[in-house]
Amino acid sequence: MKDWIRRLSWVPAGVMMAVIFMFSAKNAERSEEQSGAVVRVVLNMAETFVGSEYRSELMANHSALAGIEAAVRKSAHAAEYAMLAVCVGFYIIVSTRFKKGWQYYAAVIGLCALYAATDEFHQLFVDGRSAQVSDVCIDTTGAAVGAALLKLAAGRKLKEWFKEEPARRTGGGM
């Protein structure tokens, strides 16, 4: 069982990269529609705690609403890359022989930062979108958080589960 998991451990990272690519391929108008829908959900949830008057005030205040939408978009960037880091980290833990923690972090964060940069480059070719260095920084920060969470939560256990078993000696040795 472990061997087939090891061989397929790259699949979750590939799927997450595809999901991020699909979000980035949406034009600016469609992307803003999605963000607006999430903001409406957040405001509806907030209404439960603070009342409908506060929600009405926010809806009327366009700059506050724009700030909430920006926070939602940047949080989504960080969350996507935290999930990507967990997937990449899983692959690295089960498929490589990194012995030191810094190698794990350098590999996971480096790969995620590289993907973030290529994703921003990709957005240059999408209608109404642009590349932002700040988004690469947010993505990389999210990746660092995801890598740390995986390492803290499951790193040692995954290492033990997938460690190489010593070669068995056969009878009649030297």
Side-chain angles (χ1 to χ4, degrees):
M1 177 171 92
K2 292 179 190 177
D3 194 45
W4 71 267
I5 292 173
R6 183 178 285 121
R7 281 194 220 133
L8 295 176
S9 62
W10 62 271
V11 171
V15 168
M16 194 62 212
M17 287 176 173
V19 167
I20 291 170
F21 182 87
M22 288 188 306
F23 279 130
S24 295
K26 293 182 180 190
N27 66 29
E29 184 179 314
R30 181 73 177 116
S31 180
E32 288 173 11
E33 285 174 14
Q34 278 187 315
S35 297
V38 173
V39 168
R40 285 189 294 280
V41 169
V42 169
L43 290 177
N44 287 338
M45 290 177 5
E47 183 177 18
T48 304
F49 298 104
V50 296
S52 59
E53 304 82 29
Y54 184 69
R55 183 180 191 274
S56 299
E57 287 177 31
L58 273 176
M59 293 300 286
N61 186 342
H62 295 292
S63 63
L65 204 53
I68 292 170
E69 187 170 326
V72 165
R73 291 175 77 83
K74 300 310 175 187
S75 297
H77 266 271
E80 285 174 341
Y81 279 84
M83 288 187 282
L84 177 60
V86 167
C87 296
V88 169
F90 174 74
Y91 167 74
I92 286 173
I93 288 171
V94 302
S95 298
T96 65
R97 296 185 181 172
F98 288 146
K99 301 283 188 240
K100 299 188 181 350
W102 69 268
Q103 292 172 326
Y104 161 81
Y105 289 110
V108 173
I109 296 168
L111 288 170
C112 290
L114 179 63
Y115 190 73
T118 61
D119 184 54
E120 289 299 313
F121 179 72
H122 159 244
Q123 288 182 38
L124 288 172
F125 303 99
V126 178
D127 188 35
R129 303 290 293 267
S130 64
Q132 303 290 324
V133 173
S134 62
D135 283 350
V136 174
C137 294
I138 291 167
D139 298 342
T140 303
T141 301
V145 170
L149 289 175
L150 178 65
K151 190 73 166 169
L152 290 172
R156 182 175 294 152
K157 195 65 172 170
L158 286 172
K159 243 337 181 200
E160 290 172 12
W161 194 34
F162 287 97
K163 77 178 180 184
E164 293 291 320
E165 294 184 21
R168 295 183 184 213
R169 290 187 177 181
T170 58
M174 296 160 102

